Amino acid sequence: MLLKDIWYVAALSREVRPGRMTRKLIAGEPVALGRTQGGNAFALRDVCPHRAAPLSAGRIVESDAEAGGGPTVECPYHGWRFGTGDGICRAVPSLAEGQTLKLDRIRAGSFPVVERDGVIWMFAASNPRFAEAPEFGPPEPPRQPAGGPRLVERAVFDCNIDHAVVGLMDPAHGPYVHRQWWWRTEHSMHEKAKAFAPRPYGFAMVEHAPSSNSFAYRLLGGKPTTEIDFRLPGVRFETIRNAKGIVLGLTAVTPLDEDRTEVTQIFYWDIGMLSVLRPILRPLVRAFLNQDRAMVDLQQEGLKHESRLMLIDDADAQAKWYAQLKREWAAHREEGREFRNPVPETTLRWRS
Ligand code: FES
Ligand SMILES: [Fe+2]
């Protein structure tokens, strides 16, 4: 089940240039992601309501004053125009003198967007023809990042979003999937106890000193602490702090469709030394992401033959919470009531 009516990371700001559009599947919906000349990002359903041509193959044009003005997307097939903000038809050029059509009934569909910290978030409305921005915004980081993204890596996993999310939050795979001198070795496994607490639409592994067995944390120097927050639909913030400053990692998992999932890893920081180390950090981040991707791709082979999976205490508790959070999300939307966070305040123990 792909969650709808929730915010997903759609793209990086820098990927969507003024006056341009790109086509992308997000939660199974074709989306024309674009930016007006004036700089506003937008997302229209990428299917013309006339005869289904992708609007992203058209162009962004200002509409005439009589059509209400403002930026529109012009379909490449017959030139119908749709407002970039609301997806409502503004012009049908083939109409002759005296011919009328109720243009405001013709809707391409649009998705609300919010642009923040170099990222375009899209609200995957279940009914894009009448989508309105919800009362809640995209997940807020626990600490505001300083400046824009400093390091970005991205990979497409050939799996359903659930396997990508569970794989990324799974604490027990580190010593196997990420076994390497700068992260974990066979001999570095030891028992851990971590405190967890509920957070809005998610939970946090509360602030703690990270494992001493990680060279990558030692690189930072000082006495770093880290807090890891998970938010629906698949957003993870890792806030690492030491005396010198803050590193914020944002891992965003966006389902393209049921079987393909985009994972974007972004780091923000205000520690000058890290910018110097970027050429060293980038291949490490890429290696990490590729290791996760390779494992879930491999897992797909097994999943062709078996759909039942086991979740054990405590190492898989977070995966269980994720499933419960998703169910609660769907239930509270359906019943039109407050979200009741199913995650308890607790301590989990495992070896990794
Ligand atoms: S298909 Fe878009 S205007 Fe005809
Ligand atoms: Fe991993």
Side-chain angles (χ1 to χ4, degrees), residues 48-53 55 75-82:
C48 179
H50 181 214
R51 290 226 287 281
L55 295 175
C75 178
Y77 204 168
H78 313 94
W80 293 21
R81 291 180 176 186
F82 304 89

Side-chain angles (χ1 to χ4, degrees), residues 46-288:
D46 197 18
V47 182
C48 179
H50 181 214
R51 290 226 287 281
L55 295 175
S56 57
R59 53 184 194 138
I60 300 171
V61 287
E62 277 303 309
S63 69
D64 307 331
E66 66 197 83
T72 59
V73 169
E74 182 187 78
C75 178
Y77 204 168
H78 313 94
W80 293 21
R81 291 180 176 186
F82 304 89
T84 55
D86 55 17
I88 297 174
C89 188
R90 297 280 195 282
V92 172
S94 63
L95 291 177
E97 185 74 41
Q99 294 177 338
T100 56
L101 208 53
K102 289 214 165 66
L103 294 190
D104 56 353
R105 296 242 185 108
I106 306 172
R107 289 165 177 258
S110 68
F111 301 96
V113 295
V114 165
E115 194 161 15
R116 207 177 60 196
D117 306 323
V119 173
I120 300 173
W121 296 82
M122 190 194 93
F123 184 70
S126 52
N127 184 359
R129 293 184 67 237
F130 294 93
E132 272 178 34
E135 66 288 0
F136 59 95
E140 293 276 352
R143 301 206 169 241
Q144 214 42 48
R150 309 269 179 185
L151 179 58
V152 181
E153 283 295 322
R154 183 184 276 154
V156 174
F157 292 14
D158 285 325
C159 68
N160 182 271
I161 180 174
D162 290 349
H163 294 300
V165 170
V166 167
L168 291 168
M169 65 174 37
D170 167 21
H173 75 288
Y176 297 92
V177 175
H178 304 300
R179 182 181 295 180
Q180 49 218 338
W181 66 270
W182 49 271
W183 189 252
R184 294 282 191 279
T185 67
E186 227 172 318
H187 307 294
S188 69
M189 265 179 97
H190 62 268
E191 183 167 324
K192 290 171 188 165
K194 299 273 160 77
F196 286 81
R199 290 283 190 272
Y201 307 124
F203 57 86
M205 184 193 291
V206 300
E207 191 166 14
H208 60 281
S211 290
S212 50
N213 57 4
S214 280
F215 167 78
Y217 286 112
R218 286 211 302 271
L219 241 185
L220 250 186
K223 284 207 169 60
T225 64
T226 175
E227 167 153 329
I228 298 175
D229 286 73
F230 173 78
R231 306 290 163 87
L232 282 179
V235 176
R236 198 183 95 124
F237 293 109
E238 174 158 13
T239 318
I240 307 164
R241 286 197 292 163
N242 72 2
K244 288 180 230 155
I246 295 178
V247 180
L248 176 70
L250 163 59
T251 313
V253 182
T254 301
L256 303 177
D257 55 28
E258 293 280 349
D259 309 309
R260 281 178 320 139
T261 301
E262 184 176 77
V263 181
T264 308
Q265 176 67 59
I266 304 173
F267 285 101
Y268 305 85
W269 60 63
D270 58 2
I271 303 175
M273 183 227 5
L274 287 179
S275 299
V276 179
L277 289 177
R278 185 164 29 210
I280 299 169
L281 293 173
R282 186 182 295 285
L284 303 190
V285 174
R286 187 174 302 161
F288 218 83

Side-chain angles (χ1 to χ4, degrees), residues 322-342:
Y322 168 62
Q324 290 165 5
L325 284 162
K326 272 187 81 171
R327 279 199 297 273
E328 172 60 13
W329 178 266
H332 101 290
R333 297 285 306 183
E334 214 173 284
E335 296 160 25
R337 59 165 171 80
E338 286 277 285
F339 183 86
R340 290 194 287 264
N341 195 319

